[in-house]
Amino acid sequence: MFINSCITALAFATNAAVVQPTAQFMLQWTQLQSFGLVHLVPLPTAIKSVMAFLLMDLTYYYWHRANHRFLFLWRFHNVHHIDPDLDISTGFRFHGVEILLSAGLRVFQIALTGISQGTYILYELVYQANTLFHHSNIRLPIWTERWLNTILVTPRMHGVHHSQVQDETNSNYSVIFPWWDKLHQTLRLNVPQSEIEIGIPAYSSPDDNTLQHLWLVPFQKQRDYWRKPDNKLVERSPSVLGEDLSRMVDFSTTSIAPNLSLRTE
């Protein structure tokens, strides 16, 4: 918790000093210039607000996916995934440089959408609230989470995204609405929660989760992320997975500990 608090403090300072002032400038500019997609067609204000809100969430999906796809961005986003314990504090644990880079994302999002000040504030509140919710270690009944997951990203859905298995981490990028993963075929719900081991295999020792290391690791030579220190690749046994990728499954009946296999190539 102490480590996450220190990283969060730097992230909050960067957000307050750079991201939000940049966002406010763009909000004022787009409204004065009537710039952005919602200004192109005369529509009721409520419809414009819904459109802008959805576009903000969709573009963040693309940003999150880019942070996994492009190695330069992943160097910094990896700090978030190294956390071995997924809880609410993980939702704030982002390297300061990643927060700084997200200022460019906010400029793009606001310019693209033409979102109003009020809708932007609502988006930020919902974004932060659901980020904390799906990073929490709340264990809801499976039927409750299946129902919630038709509308929101939930802890079980996002827990798969923090798995040590590469294919599972590279899924479930959505932040508020889960529909974007289904639309882009990156949805993966068929991993039992009890089978998920949190973290990044190559950075899973206690020394990797120190404050100094987390601040400096993006600037150091990177390891083979998906292999343990003994060079074994972390994989999931297919026997524990549900057949339907889009159906959330309950606890595995085949094992108590995470059913991972280690393979050396």
Side-chain angles (χ1 to χ4, degrees), residues 35-67:
F35 191 89
L37 293 177
V38 299
H39 298 291
L40 295 179
V41 181
L43 292 170
T45 301
I47 295 178
K48 287 185 176 181
S49 295
V50 171
M51 287 176 55
F53 193 103
L54 290 173
L55 283 170
M56 290 288 287
D57 195 42
L58 175 59
T59 50
Y60 199 90
Y61 165 89
Y62 291 129
W63 170 250
H64 190 184
R65 194 167 175 177
N67 273 273

Side-chain angles (χ1 to χ4, degrees), residues 124-168:
E124 283 283 357
L125 289 173
V126 176
Y127 168 88
Q128 294 296 342
N130 208 59
T131 295
L132 296 182
F133 170 60
H134 66 235
H135 280 97
S136 70
N137 50 15
I138 295 173
R139 188 162 288 179
L140 299 171
I142 187 68
W143 67 267
T144 303
E145 194 149 353
R146 282 175 179 158
W147 179 81
L148 280 175
N149 193 234
T150 62
I151 305 168
L152 296 171
V153 175
T154 59
R156 269 188 176 90
M157 176 180 174
H158 197 71
V160 175
H161 180 72
H162 279 264
S163 167
Q164 287 200 15
V165 179
Q166 184 178 10
D167 288 345
E168 294 168 6

Side-chain angles (χ1 to χ4, degrees), residues 24-235:
Q24 290 303 315
F25 172 81
M26 285 304 299
L27 284 166
Q28 294 174 18
W29 185 85
T30 54
Q31 296 307 303
L32 287 172
Q33 301 296 325
S34 296
F35 191 89
L37 293 177
V38 299
H39 298 291
L40 295 179
V41 181
L43 292 170
T45 301
I47 295 178
K48 287 185 176 181
S49 295
V50 171
M51 287 176 55
F53 193 103
L54 290 173
L55 283 170
M56 290 288 287
D57 195 42
L58 175 59
T59 50
Y60 199 90
Y61 165 89
Y62 291 129
W63 170 250
H64 190 184
R65 194 167 175 177
N67 273 273
H68 284 252
R69 174 66 179 81
F70 298 104
L71 292 179
F72 173 75
L73 297 177
W74 172 251
R75 282 175 173 261
F76 301 100
H77 190 59
N78 184 34
V79 171
H80 175 67
H81 279 268
I82 289 174
D83 195 346
D85 298 308
L86 187 62
D87 56 32
I88 286 179
S89 70
T90 312
F92 291 124
R93 172 182 158 138
F94 293 96
H95 197 279
V97 174
E98 181 178 354
I99 300 299
L100 187 64
L101 292 170
S102 72
L105 170 70
R106 281 290 186 259
V107 169
F108 170 77
Q109 287 180 301
I110 295 169
L112 175 70
T113 62
I115 191 171
S116 68
Q117 177 83 30
T119 305
Y120 176 77
I121 292 173
L122 177 63
Y123 169 78
E124 283 283 357
L125 289 173
V126 176
Y127 168 88
Q128 294 296 342
N130 208 59
T131 295
L132 296 182
F133 170 60
H134 66 235
H135 280 97
S136 70
N137 50 15
I138 295 173
R139 188 162 288 179
L140 299 171
I142 187 68
W143 67 267
T144 303
E145 194 149 353
R146 282 175 179 158
W147 179 81
L148 280 175
N149 193 234
T150 62
I151 305 168
L152 296 171
V153 175
T154 59
R156 269 188 176 90
M157 176 180 174
H158 197 71
V160 175
H161 180 72
H162 279 264
S163 167
Q164 287 200 15
V165 179
Q166 184 178 10
D167 288 345
E168 294 168 6
T169 298
N170 292 331
S171 69
N172 299 356
Y173 299 105
S174 299
V175 178
I176 299 176
F177 302 119
W179 316 320
W180 314 127
D181 280 296
K182 192 166 186 178
L183 178 66
H184 294 85
Q185 298 183 329
T186 54
L187 182 67
R188 187 159 188 176
L189 301 177
N190 66 331
V191 186
Q193 190 177 36
S194 60
E195 294 291 335
I196 297 173
E197 187 174 351
I198 303 298
I200 299 297
Y203 295 91
S204 54
S205 73
D207 290 343
D208 293 323
N209 202 45
T210 64
L211 188 58
Q212 181 179 3
H213 181 263
L214 293 170
W215 275 336
L216 295 178
V217 68
F219 308 104
Q220 298 172 346
K221 181 179 179 180
Q222 302 295 284
R223 303 171 191 168
D224 189 343
Y225 301 104
W226 310 107
R227 293 181 182 273
K228 293 284 190 177
D230 59 4
N231 200 41
K232 291 183 178 179
L233 183 69
V234 178
E235 296 178 317

